[in-house]
Amino acid sequence: MVLSLRVMAPNRIVWNSEVGEITLSTNSGQIGILPNHAPLLTALDMGVSKIRSGGQWSAMASMGGFAMIDNNRVTILVNEAEVSDEIDPIEAQKDYEVAQMELAKAEGRKRKIEANLAFKRAKARLEASTIS
Amino acid sequence: MKSVKSIQKITKAMKMVAASKLRGVQVKAENSRGFWQPFVALLGDHPDIESKKNVILTISSDRGLCGGINSTSVKFSKAMFTLSASEEPAKYVILGEKGKVQLQRDSKKNIQMVVTDIQKMPINFTQISMIADEILKNVEFDTIKIIYNKFGSVVSFLPSVATIPSPEVIARESEAGGKLEQLESYEIEGGDSKAEVLQNLSEFQFAAMLFNASLENACSEQGARMSAMDSSTRNASEMLEKLTLKYNRSRQASITTELIEIISGAAALEAAS
């Protein structure tokens, strides 16, 4: 039994194949999805999802969205997503450090929120690029 | 004739510009279709859902010379407006200058919000999410019906309506006997409450469908402009041909007249001497 996974961003299809297991990052923690999971609808936060396909784990950084699971079909809709082999680890590390600095010196509510979002994004990308 | 020739050049150029813009937008529109389909698979598309506060979102273009697509959108919007009359009259939210101009003429008091100049930069999801956010903040609704021209092919544009229910309506209909009954069988996670997740879902759905609808309408606009400019160019060529013939004939007629005058003048002089 396998899960059929589709990950879609507004401008492209990020993933479309059958996989064995998925770990999703929601704002109430991580959820593991195995075949024959009960129907589920969950919001995803900005983080890393892990996908096991053919015995190998890959990671995907996603920037918020929704996951719907029904009948071994998993549909993930995200604002933006990158699979780990699309991310350059050195660049991701640099982005992360820059975002960290920006977050530390951000002032004013609006800047803090923006810096926070940029930081989360950089963190997710860095994690994804270092996992697989 | 010179003016007709230059018009012909301009329309031909406009057609080519529209054709190249169309190629770019078409790819984006097709890619964005996959994005809203899971929402429809989950929540269905229920244009007949019960709703008191109706909002009609008309998508139109900012620039003209694109055939009849804006008039079609406006016609359909007005029809939807009449159909969705309930205790409260429906409200319009308009995207695009042309729609605003046409609807302002007779429905000015029902227009709640207008957004123009969207196409200053290529349409992307972030921009549309912001517009969606603004609309959600400022407009109260039970359902939003998005009216747009779906791109069938370069010569076919289908007026379409996409219905987006509000989170409250989704919650109401997902109870037993409602249209969204199958939603109950889903475990809902990821927020502090089911209502919060449904709210985020509804907002995301709105942004996704608005994104696709705007892209489809932009494609239809470029396609309609291509065929409008194409027929203009052909008209201009025909006109140019007719004018050229007319010009030549009148040129020959005036030469003949001059010759006749000269010859009759010369003959008169000869006869006199």
Side-chain angles (χ1 to χ4, degrees), chain B residues 108-120:
Chain B
K108 193 154 185 201
K109 58 181 166 49
N110 292 318
I111 299 180
Q112 176 129 13
M113 201 170 141
V114 177
V115 184
T116 53
D117 285 338
I118 306 179
Q119 298 208 23
K120 280 237 158 78

Side-chain angles (χ1 to χ4, degrees), chain B residues 3 11 38 49 63 87 94 98 103 113 115 127 132 135 152 162 171 179 194 207 217 242 245 249 253 271:
Chain B
S3 61
T11 56
I49 212 169
R63 283 189 247 133
E87 303 161 2
I94 306 177
K98 292 286 152 188
L103 281 169
M113 201 170 141
V115 184
Q127 171 198 42
I135 297 178
K179 295 206 158 114
K194 176 174 165 187
N217 206 59
K242 283 199 200 127
L245 282 174
R249 270 192 218 122

Side-chain angles (χ1 to χ4, degrees), chain A residues 6 8-12 26-28 31 37-43 64-66 68-70 75 77-79, chain B residues 28 31-32 34-36 38-39 42 125 129 183 185-191 196-198 200-202 204 211:
Chain A
R6 282 179 311 169
M8 293 191 270
N11 56 353
R12 67 181 185 130
T26 74
N27 47 14
S28 47
I31 303 185
H37 199 282
L40 173 70
L41 169 64
T42 175
F66 276 88
M68 296 176 233
I69 302 159
D70 187 6
T75 310
L77 298 170
V78 289
N79 286 317
Chain B
K28 282 169 132 185
N31 285 339
S32 75
F35 200 54
W36 58 258
F39 286 109
L42 179 68
F125 190 64
S129 319
L183 200 55
S185 60
Y186 282 77
E187 219 182 291
I188 304 210
E189 294 233 11
E196 186 193 337
V197 179
L198 283 182
N200 285 334
L201 185 67
S202 163
F204 199 37
F211 183 57

Side-chain angles (χ1 to χ4, degrees), chain B residues 84-95:
Chain B
S84 56
S86 62
E87 303 161 2
E88 283 180 48
K91 295 218 174 319
Y92 286 109
V93 170
I94 306 177
L95 263 59

Side-chain angles (χ1 to χ4, degrees), chain B residues 222-237:
Chain B
Q222 301 298 351
R225 187 166 295 135
M226 256 180 76
S227 49
M229 290 300 104
D230 190 39
S231 33
S232 293
T233 313
R234 243 176 284 136
N235 274 342
S237 318

Side-chain angles (χ1 to χ4, degrees), chain B residues 127-142:
Chain B
Q127 171 198 42
I128 298 283
S129 319
M130 283 177 52
I131 297 179
D133 254 345
E134 277 301 305
I135 297 178
L136 290 168
K137 254 197 315 200
N138 294 316
V139 181
E140 261 184 53
F141 65 96
D142 281 342

Side-chain angles (χ1 to χ4, degrees), chain B residues 38-84:
Chain B
F39 286 109
V40 174
L42 179 68
L43 298 171
D45 184 28
H46 301 283
D48 53 345
I49 212 169
E50 224 188 282
S51 140
K52 297 217 185 68
K53 298 204 175 98
N54 294 300
V55 171
I56 300 179
L57 204 159
T58 311
I59 305 192
S60 61
S61 64
D62 281 327
R63 283 189 247 133
L65 294 180
C66 51
I69 56 166
N70 288 320
S71 312
T72 322
S73 286
V74 170
K75 219 177 9 172
F76 267 80
S77 304
K78 291 197 183 151
M80 279 266 104
F81 182 84
T82 329
L83 277 177
S84 56

